[in-house]
Amino acid sequence: MKVVIISCFSDKNAYNRGNFIYSYFKRRNHDCYVIYSEFDHKKKIYNRVNDDRWIPIRTIKYKKNLSIKRMISHFLFGMKTASIIKELKPDLIYVAVPPNSAAFFASKIAKKLNSRLIVDVVDLWPESLVIPQRIKWLATPMLKIWKNLRESPLKNANVVMLECNLYKEYLPKNKFIDEKTCTVYLSKLDQFNEINELTSYCNDVLNICYIGSINHIVDFDFLLKFLFEMKKNKPVKLHIIGLGEKKEWLISKLNELEIPYIDYGEIYDESEKNKIMLGCDFGFNIYKNQTIIGLSYKSVDYFSAGLPLINSIKGDTWKLVEQYNAGINCCSNDHLYAVKKISNLSKDEIVNMKKNAFKVYVNNFSYKVVQKKLDSVIKMAIGDEYN
C-alpha cells in the first residue's frame, strides 16, 4: 500500500506525531512518503532531511509564531502539497493538523484520486490562540475561515484521529463525524526505563525539568513565581531542554531572580534526554488559561521517564494525573498551591509519584498500546483487508 504522510512540523531526528506514523507504516513494509515543511518551525531556519522518501516543501520564513507571515507560510504549505499528492497517487493519505490548510487541500485531492483519508487533529487552531479577547473578537471573520479549513475536510475523511479526548468537545456536533472519530494518544518509538530505576533525587535540591518550545502559550510567569517561592523552602534547580522565541527572556529572568538552572539547548537524542529527566523530580506542564489542550508532547516525555507533572492541562492529562497520583494538578494562577503541595511531600511520596508517572506511560502511551490502537484505525480507514 502506498501511503503519503503530510506533517508540516516533522523532523526525522525528533519525537513527533508525523515521524511516529511514518515509522509505524515502515515497520509494516508499506511504500510511504512524508511531505514536510523545509522551514524548521523551532529553529527558524531551512532544514532538509537526507532521505528521498521525505519530500520538503519550500515555504516562506517567519520569525514570530504569532504572525501573518506564519499563516501565509502554512497556507502555502497546504497548497503545495496538492501537486505532490497528485503525482504520487497514494492509496492512503494521512494528514496532521495544523496547519488546517494541509487537511483542506489533501481532502480535495483525496476525493479526486479516490484515496482513503485520515485527518489527525494534533492541535486546535485558532481556538488555542493566546491573544487579548478584544483582538479575538475583531478577528472573528478571519478566525472562522481558518477554523473551517480544518472542519470541512472532516466530512470527507474516512477516519478522524484526535490527539486527546478533550478535542471532541470542540469539533462539529455531527453524528457522521462522531462515528468515524477516535482518540489515538501520542507515543514514542523507544522505551529506556524500568520501574525499579525510578528513584528520587530530591534530597538537597528539588530538580524541575522543562522540555519543549519556549513560547507564548506556556505559562513561564507561573514557573518563575513557583521556583522563586520554592527556593525559600528548599534549594531548586531548573533543567531546560528546548529552544523558542521567549528563551532569552526566560534566561534573563532566571538570572535576575538568582534561580539556578542548566540550559541543555535542543536535544534530539532520546537516550541523552532521558538521562537528564531521570535526574529530575517533576516535569513542568503549566499552560496559559486560554490554551485549549488536553495532552502535550512534553507530558508524554515526562511520563516516559517517570517524572510526575506540575500540571494545569485539563481533560485527559488532568484525569490521568488524578487517577494515577502522578503529579500535582493546579490552576495556572495558583503557584502557591503547587509550592505548598510539593513542599509537604516526603522522599518516599515523590518516589511513589515517579513510579505512578511511569505506569501512566506504560498503560497509555507505550508503543505497544498505541500501535494496537493505530491498527484498528487503519482498518477503519481502508477495510478489513489491512494487515
Side-chain angles (χ1 to χ4, degrees), residues 20-294:
F20 181 87
I21 298 293
Y22 175 72
S23 298
Y24 169 85
F25 282 113
K26 285 295 285 182
R27 288 182 182 192
R28 282 156 179 73
N29 298 313
H30 292 294
D31 182 18
C32 52
Y33 298 83
V34 178
I35 303 174
Y36 69 100
S37 173
E38 192 179 354
F39 183 67
D40 190 305
H41 173 69
K42 289 183 182 176
K43 297 178 182 177
K44 303 294 187 283
I45 58 171
Y46 286 112
N47 187 29
R48 280 191 174 225
V49 174
N50 186 24
D51 187 329
D52 59 7
R53 293 276 167 166
W54 285 61
I55 304 168
I57 297 276
R58 190 81 170 183
T59 54
I60 63 171
K61 294 180 181 179
Y62 53 88
K63 290 182 180 178
K64 293 184 177 181
N65 288 347
L66 273 178
S67 64
I68 298 296
K69 258 192 162 183
R70 180 185 175 182
M71 291 176 70
I72 295 169
S73 180
H74 286 179
F75 191 79
L76 288 174
F77 173 83
M79 282 181 65
K80 289 183 176 183
T81 59
S83 58
I84 297 171
I85 299 168
K86 279 181 188 174
E87 188 179 325
L88 290 172
K89 295 182 175 60
D91 302 296
L92 175 66
I93 301 168
Y94 161 93
V95 56
V97 175
N100 297 356
S101 60
F104 180 79
F105 288 105
S107 171
K108 300 285 184 189
I109 302 303
K111 201 170 182 181
K112 287 182 180 177
L113 296 176
N114 199 27
S115 301
R116 314 299 280 176
L117 176 67
I118 298 174
V119 176
D120 187 1
V121 182
V122 181
D123 275 318
L124 281 181
W125 295 98
E127 290 89 341
S128 290
L129 274 176
V130 181
I131 56 175
Q133 202 59 39
R134 183 170 171 273
I135 295 175
K136 229 174 189 177
W137 182 78
L138 289 170
T140 296
M142 184 186 73
L143 297 180
K144 279 185 176 177
I145 294 168
W146 188 0
K147 183 178 176 181
N148 193 53
L149 287 174
R150 178 192 70 225
E151 296 198 343
S152 61
L154 301 183
K155 298 165 190 172
N156 296 331
N158 298 98
V159 174
V160 177
M161 268 171 61
L162 305 178
E163 182 202 62
C164 59
N165 289 311
L166 179 71
Y167 289 170
K168 290 176 184 174
E169 298 174 22
Y170 296 89
L171 294 182
K173 300 296 182 281
N174 180 307
K175 186 183 176 184
F176 177 63
I177 293 175
D178 288 346
E179 287 172 351
K180 57 184 179 181
T181 298
C182 55
T183 299
V184 179
Y185 281 145
L186 301 168
S187 184
K188 302 179 73 168
L189 296 170
D190 304 297
Q191 183 172 308
F192 299 96
N193 307 312
E194 296 295 335
I195 204 158
N196 58 1
E197 296 174 355
L198 306 171
T199 58
S200 177
Y201 292 75
C202 185
N203 295 315
D204 300 319
V205 178
L206 183 72
N207 291 285
I208 305 296
C209 184
Y210 178 77
I211 286 181
S213 184
I214 302 168
N215 57 26
H216 61 283
I217 64 173
V218 177
D219 198 339
F220 291 107
D221 288 323
F222 181 110
L223 176 63
L224 293 166
K225 290 174 187 174
F226 167 80
L227 292 170
F228 185 75
E229 289 297 325
M230 182 58 88
K231 74 172 186 169
K232 295 176 183 177
N233 304 326
K234 188 182 188 79
V236 295
K237 184 176 281 185
L238 178 65
H239 299 257
I240 307 167
I241 304 172
L243 302 171
E245 59 192 58
K246 291 193 73 174
K247 186 162 187 177
E248 284 185 20
W249 171 85
L250 176 61
I251 297 297
S252 70
K253 286 292 182 183
L254 290 168
N255 290 328
E256 184 185 314
L257 296 170
E258 298 182 342
I259 296 168
Y261 66 90
I262 301 175
D263 176 16
Y264 300 92
E266 188 79 355
I267 295 177
Y268 290 111
D269 186 290
E270 289 295 319
S271 61
E272 187 182 344
K273 189 166 66 173
N274 187 67
K275 284 175 188 173
I276 295 165
M277 289 192 288
L278 281 175
C280 295
D281 301 294
F282 286 89
F284 183 75
N285 200 48
I286 303 283
Y287 283 71
K288 290 183 179 175
N289 272 331
Q290 305 99 306
T291 308
I292 298 169
I293 183 169

Side-chain angles (χ1 to χ4, degrees), residues 304-323:
S304 75
L307 266 187
L309 306 188
I310 302 169
N311 173 65
S312 70
I313 291 181
K314 300 295 190 288
D316 304 56
T317 306
W318 188 283
K319 289 173 185 174
L320 288 168
V321 168
E322 273 195 350
Q323 180 186 341

